[in-house]
């Protein structure tokens, strides 16, 4: 039997992200010890269950409010927690806002207001066009969102593709952005790691996995310790990749136009932090020196025993490092 206290929590596997979500305003990040397998199976209209094998993660609880607002032609959904200096948190490709829940609670307790939107066209942010997936269009829509919230100064952080959008945002609005942070290696600095390149050369896109065996490959690339996932969950998610394959492929094609974008940007005028997992299988840590060249003046932290999804598998460590960085620019 599954304990009722966790019955509302589910994983959403979205090629590059797994989100931990609770169907209430409050959120609890479970404390588990390394080697403990938590299996949660829920029957809902989207991906409904999974397992998580994780190293020890202290419990984290806070109130997270979910809201929505009209932006451009669509409706943007976002989570918000805490009060104080705003921090805009941007998820990665094929992902959703709930992946930030653990870190949001850490930031809220430290006195910040954490805001995590579903990026336009992703998850519950609906009504946007294919063109809105272009990263510069994402930036324009996010700026409308920030203006609606009447935020004059903010810190911005992102995971993977979200980090790249954050960097583009800071370039366009340097007077509004206090700091920029990459929570995990960003798109736009280096090539795909060998494991990803090998799969693509063999005709397999590990981020749009078809059939189930390719889904296993995706999870093995995203995690240091891959979770065990029930077959019925794999089947449901792969069916989604099949049924909406055109949309996934269009998005993938657009985003891959930005594979070198961070190295083409002018030198950032805002303090910048990059936290890179030493066991990242999406963008290899051996290319971290290129980050120094492309992001001159940035502070780069290499996190041991960490992969691509630091905000999930290493949420507490990532939050601790990020909060330390924020203290250094507090009075900027």
């Amino acid at each position: 039997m599954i304990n009722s206290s966790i019955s509302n929590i589910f994983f959403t596997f979205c090629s590059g992200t797994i989100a931990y979500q609770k169907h209430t305003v409050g959120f609890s990040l479970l404390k588990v010890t390394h080697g403990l397998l938590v299996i949660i199976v829920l029957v809902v209209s989207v991906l409904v269950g999974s397992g998580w094998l994780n190293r020890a993660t202290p419990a984290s609880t806070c109130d997270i409010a979910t809201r929505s607002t009209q932006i451009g032609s669509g409706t943007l959904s976002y989570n918000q927690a805490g009060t104080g200096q705003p921090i805009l948190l941007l998820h990665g490709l094929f992902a959703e806002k709930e992946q930030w829940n653990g870190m949001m609670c850490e930031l809220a307790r430290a006195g910040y207001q954490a805001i995590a939107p579903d990026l336009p066209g992703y998850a519950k942010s609906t009504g946007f066009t294919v063109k809105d997936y272009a990263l510069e269009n994402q930036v324009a829509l996010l700026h409308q969102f920030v203006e609606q919230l009447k935020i004059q100064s903010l810190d911005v952080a992102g995971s993977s593709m979200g980090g790249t959008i954050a960097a583009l945002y800071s370039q366009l609005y340097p007077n509004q952005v206090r700091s920029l942070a990459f929570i995990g290696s960003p798109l736009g600095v280096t090539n795909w790691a060998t494991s990803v390149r090998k799969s693509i050369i063999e005709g397999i896109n590990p981020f749009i996995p078809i059939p189930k065996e390719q889904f296993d490959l995706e999870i093995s690339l995203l995690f240091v310790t891959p979770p065990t996932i029930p077959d019925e969950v794999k089947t449901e998610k792969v069916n989604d990749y099949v049924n909406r394959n055109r949309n996934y492929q269009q998005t993938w094609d657009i985003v891959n136009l930005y594979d070198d974008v961070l190295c083409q940007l002018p030198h950032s005028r805002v303090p910048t932090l990059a936290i890179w997992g030493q066991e990242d299988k999406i963008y290899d840590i051996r290319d971290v020196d290129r980050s120094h060249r492309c992001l001159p003046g940035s502070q780069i932290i290499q996190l041991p025993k960490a992969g691509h999804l630091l905000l999930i598998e290493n949420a507490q460590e990532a939050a601790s490092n990020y909060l330390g960085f924020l203290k250094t620019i507090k009075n900027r």
Side-chain angles (χ1 to χ4, degrees):
M1 294 292 292
I2 299 174
N3 189 293
S4 60
S5 68
I6 62 173
S7 63
N8 284 333
I9 301 173
F10 66 94
F11 279 107
T12 300
F13 287 81
C14 294
S15 187
T17 284
I18 297 181
Y20 305 72
Q21 180 175 346
K22 191 171 181 181
H23 288 221
T24 62
V25 172
F27 173 83
S28 177
L29 182 61
L30 302 178
K31 180 178 182 180
V32 293
T33 56
H34 185 68
L36 176 63
L37 180 64
V38 179
I39 299 293
I40 303 160
V41 180
L42 301 173
V43 180
V44 291
S45 61
V46 294
L47 181 61
V48 294
S50 178
W52 181 28
L53 184 62
N54 196 6
R55 59 180 59 87
T57 305
S60 179
T61 304
C62 71
D63 288 333
I64 298 178
T66 299
R67 300 186 172 95
S68 63
T69 185
Q70 191 73 21
I71 299 292
S73 64
T75 300
L76 189 139
S77 177
Y78 64 101
N79 285 345
Q80 192 168 6
T83 58
Q85 170 69 20
I87 300 176
L88 185 64
L89 302 169
L90 306 178
H91 64 70
L93 181 65
F94 302 149
E96 59 182 38
K97 60 186 179 299
E98 281 74 24
Q99 66 176 342
W100 289 107
N101 281 358
M103 284 193 66
M104 288 185 79
C105 290
E106 299 288 340
L107 297 173
R109 273 200 302 277
Y112 292 91
Q113 178 187 185
I115 303 166
D118 281 331
L119 291 173
Y122 293 85
K124 294 181 181 178
S125 288
T126 59
F128 297 93
T129 68
V130 171
K131 290 182 179 180
D132 290 328
Y133 288 112
L135 300 195
E136 59 270 21
N137 293 339
Q138 294 276 316
V139 169
L141 291 165
L142 285 170
H143 187 247
Q144 292 180 42
F145 169 61
V146 170
E147 292 292 296
Q148 275 197 19
L149 295 183
K150 301 187 184 306
I151 295 174
Q152 296 181 344
S153 172
L154 77 161
D155 299 283
V156 60
S159 168
S160 198
M161 178 196 72
T164 310
I165 295 173
L168 293 172
Y169 192 104
S170 71
Q171 284 286 337
L172 283 176
Y173 307 105
N175 294 328
Q176 186 182 59
V177 176
R178 278 199 333 161
S179 73
L180 166 67
F182 304 106
I183 310 299
S185 56
L187 165 77
V189 170
T190 185
N191 291 326
W192 298 111
T194 301
S195 50
V196 177
R197 293 170 63 84
K198 179 176 182 294
S199 296
I200 292 175
I201 289 171
E202 292 174 352
I204 299 170
N205 186 333
F207 305 110
I208 310 176
I210 302 170
K212 286 191 297 184
E213 291 73 20
Q214 295 177 13
F215 187 88
D216 292 334
L217 171 63
E218 176 187 18
I219 300 307
S220 72
L221 293 175
L222 295 174
F223 284 90
V224 173
T225 305
T228 300
I229 305 167
D231 282 342
E232 60 268 27
V233 172
K234 297 178 186 179
T235 298
E236 186 161 0
K237 187 54 193 174
V238 169
N239 286 343
D240 180 59
Y241 286 124
V242 172
N243 294 333
R244 298 197 300 126
N245 191 263
R246 177 64 175 163
N247 178 259
Y248 281 114
Q249 292 290 349
Q250 286 175 322
T251 308
W252 169 264
D253 291 342
I254 291 170
V255 170
N256 272 275
L257 296 174
Y258 300 87
D259 61 349
D260 196 42
V261 65
L262 293 187
C263 293
Q264 304 301 321
L265 292 179
H267 174 53
S268 177
R269 289 188 276 164
V270 301
T272 301
L273 170 71
I275 309 176
W276 198 314
Q278 289 186 349
E279 298 184 43
D280 193 326
K281 299 172 189 173
I282 306 300
Y283 298 114
D284 201 303
I285 190 67
R286 288 177 294 184
D287 292 325
V288 74
D289 287 343
R290 182 169 170 79
S291 293
H292 283 287
R293 296 194 298 272
C294 294
L295 306 168
S298 61
Q299 177 185 347
I300 298 180
I301 296 174
Q302 298 185 36
L303 209 60
K305 299 180 180 178
H308 192 61
L309 300 180
L310 304 182
L311 69 170
I312 297 173
E313 217 176 358
N314 307 83
Q316 187 187 34
E317 294 169 278
S320 177
N321 280 283
Y322 183 37
L323 286 168
F325 165 73
L326 289 174
K327 286 181 181 178
T328 68
I329 50 94
K330 186 175 182 180
N331 298 320
R332 184 177 184 267

